[in-house]
Amino acid sequence: LQKSLSETFGADKYSRARKEVLTYMFSRPMQMALYFCTGVLNDETLFHHYALNVPFYTHFTSPIRRYADIVVHRLLSASLGARSPIKMEKEAIQKQAEHCNDRKMASKRVQELSADLFFSVFVRVRP
């Protein structure tokens, strides 16, 4: 598959863009990760990470990138005793998580539409 894709991408000035769009389109069917507050869920199996096969999983990146990552950093720091607990109820944290999910889904949809547009132009001009 990789060899076939590399041949499809070509070596012109648009090859990198084609590679990014096609790779993105291949990964589109995978389920998107969602933010949630564990305190509002009773079923711990929902914390399982399928691909990594681990029962409890959290993910975060640099807290300068996304608000959800700031919240995760603060919660982890508080749970380790490095800072005072967040003064938010679990329902409020869940509401913030749902808002972050909504914004992430909207952003993903715009990205998908952009990729679809680029792909249609690519198919049209490709012999």
Side-chain angles (χ1 to χ4, degrees):
L1 179 61
Q2 182 63 34
K3 181 180 176 191
S4 175
L5 288 175
S6 294
E7 291 170 1
T8 301
F9 299 146
D12 60 20
K13 65 182 181 177
Y14 298 112
S15 61
R16 181 171 178 219
R18 280 194 297 273
K19 178 180 180 183
E20 288 180 24
V21 168
L22 292 174
T23 301
Y24 168 76
M25 291 177 83
F26 292 139
S27 65
R28 189 184 293 179
M30 297 190 320
Q31 182 180 0
M32 194 164 96
L34 296 174
Y35 298 112
F36 62 93
C37 177
T38 58
V40 300
L41 301 177
N42 294 324
D43 184 1
E44 289 186 356
T45 63
L46 297 173
F47 309 159
H48 184 264
H49 190 286
Y50 177 77
L52 297 176
N53 195 25
V54 293
F56 298 101
Y57 180 81
T58 189
H59 171 81
F60 58 94
T61 61
S62 169
I64 63 170
R65 292 191 58 207
R66 292 183 292 244
Y67 179 71
D69 297 318
I70 292 170
V71 172
V72 171
H73 273 260
R74 289 177 181 168
L75 289 168
L76 286 173
S77 292
S79 71
L80 295 171
R83 64 168 286 143
S84 58
I86 291 179
K87 295 177 182 170
M88 288 176 71
E89 296 294 322
K90 59 187 173 186
E91 291 79 14
I93 293 171
Q94 179 61 28
K95 188 173 180 178
Q96 287 295 317
E98 290 169 1
H99 177 73
C100 289
N101 289 333
D102 289 343
R103 297 296 82 217
K104 190 165 75 164
M105 292 294 272
S107 174
K108 182 174 173 60
R109 183 67 183 139
V110 169
Q111 183 181 13
E112 288 173 352
L113 292 170
S114 175
D116 290 347
L117 177 63
F118 182 88
F119 184 68
S120 65
V121 171
F122 167 67
V123 169
R124 179 177 283 176
V125 300
R126 185 89 175 166

